Amino acid sequence: MTSPPLRVGVLASGRGSNLQSILDACARPDFPARVVVVISDRERAAALDRARAAGIEALWLNPKDFEDREAFDRALVSELEARAVGLVCQAGFMRILSLAYVRAFAGRALNIHPSLLPAFPGLHAQRQALAHGVKVSGATVHFVEEGVDSGPIVLQAAVPVEPDDTEDTLAARILVQEHRIYPEAIRLFAEDRLKIDGRRVTVTGEAQR
Ligand code: GAR
C-alpha cells in the first residue's frame, strides 16, 4: 500500500521560480508530495499568482498586522499546522524566522540558497561570490535551524563562475540547478531517505515506505 503524498507548505516572497519547479514536480503522478498552501509576506508576490494558477491556496500574511516578528511567526506556524503540513519549503522567503517557527518545524523545514554554503549566506549571494572572485559557486538545499542560511546540508550543486559573468548571468546559471535540486530534496524527504546526524545529512539508498 502506498502512503498518501507528503503535504508541503511553501513560503515565498518574490517571483516564485523555485515554487514553480516544486509545483511542476508535484504535478507528476509519481511524485510523493503535494503543495497544499503557499504563504507570502508580500501581497503582490508573483509566487501567490503561481499558486492560484495551479489551483493551490495562496495566503498573504501581512507583517504589519502583527506586533512583532514572533507574533508573525506564531501566526505562520498556526496556518501551516492548520493545514497539517509535513514539510515547509522556504523558496525565496526573505524574512528571518524566529525560534517559534524553527522549533515548530525542526527537521521538517528546508531552505534553498544560491551559493555553496557555508560560503556567502544572506542577501546577494551571487554578488558576494563575484566580489570574492570564486571560480565555482552553486546552490544549496539545507534544513532550517536558527541562523541565516545555516543548518544541515541536504543537496548541493556546483556551477562554474565565468570570467565575464555578471550577477544576473551567474544567478541564472545557479537557478537552473536550484530548480533541479529542490524538488529532488523534497522527494528524498518524502521518501524518508534523509537522516540528520548533527550537521551531516545522509541520503539512504532505498525508499523506505
Ligand atoms: C532564489 O535564488 C533563492 O535561492 C534565493 O532567492 C531566490 C528566489 O527566487 N534565496 C535566498 O537568497 C535565501 N537566502 P525565486 O522566487 O524565483 O524562487
Side-chain angles (χ1 to χ4, degrees):
M1 205 176 77
T2 52
S3 320
L6 174 73
R7 296 172 65 81
V8 175
V10 177
L11 310 182
S13 300
R15 75 191 151 177
S17 74
N18 275 289
L19 164 67
Q20 192 64 55
S21 74
I22 295 167
L23 292 174
D24 292 348
C26 288
R28 295 200 293 268
D30 60 339
F31 197 78
R34 293 288 174 265
V35 177
V36 295
V37 67
V38 175
I39 303 179
S40 183
D41 57 329
R42 304 214 181 132
E43 186 179 17
R44 296 187 196 291
L48 291 177
D49 295 329
R50 289 181 193 265
R52 290 183 200 106
I56 285 155
E57 184 185 10
L59 188 64
W60 170 45
L61 286 184
N62 184 355
K64 292 197 181 114
D65 289 345
F66 301 92
E67 205 166 274
D68 53 22
R69 201 150 58 87
E70 277 70 28
F72 178 94
D73 287 3
R74 277 196 302 274
L76 183 62
V77 168
S78 83
E79 296 290 358
L80 290 163
E81 283 177 344
R83 288 155 185 86
V85 157
L87 176 70
V88 189
C89 293
Q90 297 167 212
F93 192 61
M94 294 317 209
R95 284 177 67 85
I96 294 171
L97 289 155
S98 61
L99 267 183
Y101 168 88
V102 172
R103 286 201 180 123
F105 288 99
R108 297 190 298 138
L110 296 174
N111 181 42
I112 189 150
H113 184 74
S115 75
L116 293 177
L117 290 170
F120 315 129
L123 292 175
H124 309 302
Q126 303 91 339
R127 193 185 303 171
Q128 294 183 56
L130 288 173
H132 202 88
V134 294
K135 306 298 185 197
V136 176
S137 191
T140 303
V141 177
H142 63 90
F143 281 105
V144 173
E145 61 173 32
E146 229 189 319
V148 176
D149 302 320
S150 61
I153 290 169
V154 178
L155 293 176
Q156 290 186 305
V159 305
V161 179
E162 306 291 355
D164 57 352
D165 261 338
T166 63
E167 209 177 327
D168 285 348
T169 58
L170 179 58
R173 194 176 307 117
I174 293 172
L175 206 56
V176 172
Q177 297 306 317
E178 293 186 42
H179 296 165
R180 186 176 64 78
I181 66 173
Y182 214 172
E184 176 64 8
I186 294 167
R187 188 174 65 78
L188 292 171
F189 182 92
E191 291 175 349
D192 197 23
R193 291 170 61 187
L194 299 177
K195 299 286 167 259
I196 309 175
D197 179 13
R199 281 219 51 91
R200 300 183 65 170
V201 178
T202 310
V203 179
T204 61
E206 299 297 323
Q208 297 187 344
R209 41 177 239 162

